[in-house]
Amino acid sequence: QVQLVESGGGLVQAGGSLTLSCAASGRSISNYAMGWFRQAPGKERDFVAHSSRSGGITFYANSVKGRFTISRDNARNTVYLRMNSLNVEDTAVYYCAAAPTVSPRRASDYNYWGQGTQVTVSS
């Protein structure tokens, strides 16, 4: 089993940047593909980005491509999400997740989830 804890959320102005961290414990994240999802009030949980177990392959939702960057440091057992050019539509609770599959594409592919961290973007 792996436990995930997100951090780094907060309030930021539109156009600004923020970096989220996901610290894992219990098992090495080298065993998992890692993903980020987000959920705004009254909306469904949406895929944001994922990174392969080695970090060599990444994939992004169209809404964040070119603005967000997922990275991982397996030695530190930590995954990051760098968010640039933030806008109010990025406001949501952001969740870190781990999947035992090679190429997870949906939330159902992920078995482990963090508690989430709030990101609020003001205009």
Side-chain angles (χ1 to χ4, degrees), residues 1-12:
Q1 298 181 357
V2 62
Q3 295 79 45
L4 306 173
V5 179
E6 303 93 336
S7 63
L11 178 64
V12 64

Side-chain angles (χ1 to χ4, degrees), residues 11-16 86-88 91 120-123:
L11 178 64
V12 64
Q13 290 183 316
L86 287 163
N87 55 62
V88 294
T91 295
T120 303
V121 184
S122 62
S123 62

Side-chain angles (χ1 to χ4, degrees), residues 51-111:
S51 171
S52 65
R53 287 178 291 179
S54 67
I57 300 173
T58 57
F59 188 79
Y60 299 90
N62 289 336
S63 59
V64 305
K65 192 174 188 301
R67 299 189 297 122
F68 290 11
T69 302
I70 186 172
S71 61
R72 64 193 294 156
D73 188 335
N74 287 354
R76 296 179 179 178
N77 226 25
T78 303
V79 182
Y80 305 93
L81 184 68
R82 176 66 175 175
M83 305 182 292
N84 295 323
S85 302
L86 287 163
N87 55 62
V88 294
E89 285 71 37
D90 296 315
T91 295
V93 176
Y94 283 71
Y95 296 91
C96 176
T101 58
V102 175
S103 57
R105 298 183 296 175
R106 300 299 180 92
S108 59
D109 294 324
Y110 293 83
N111 297 100

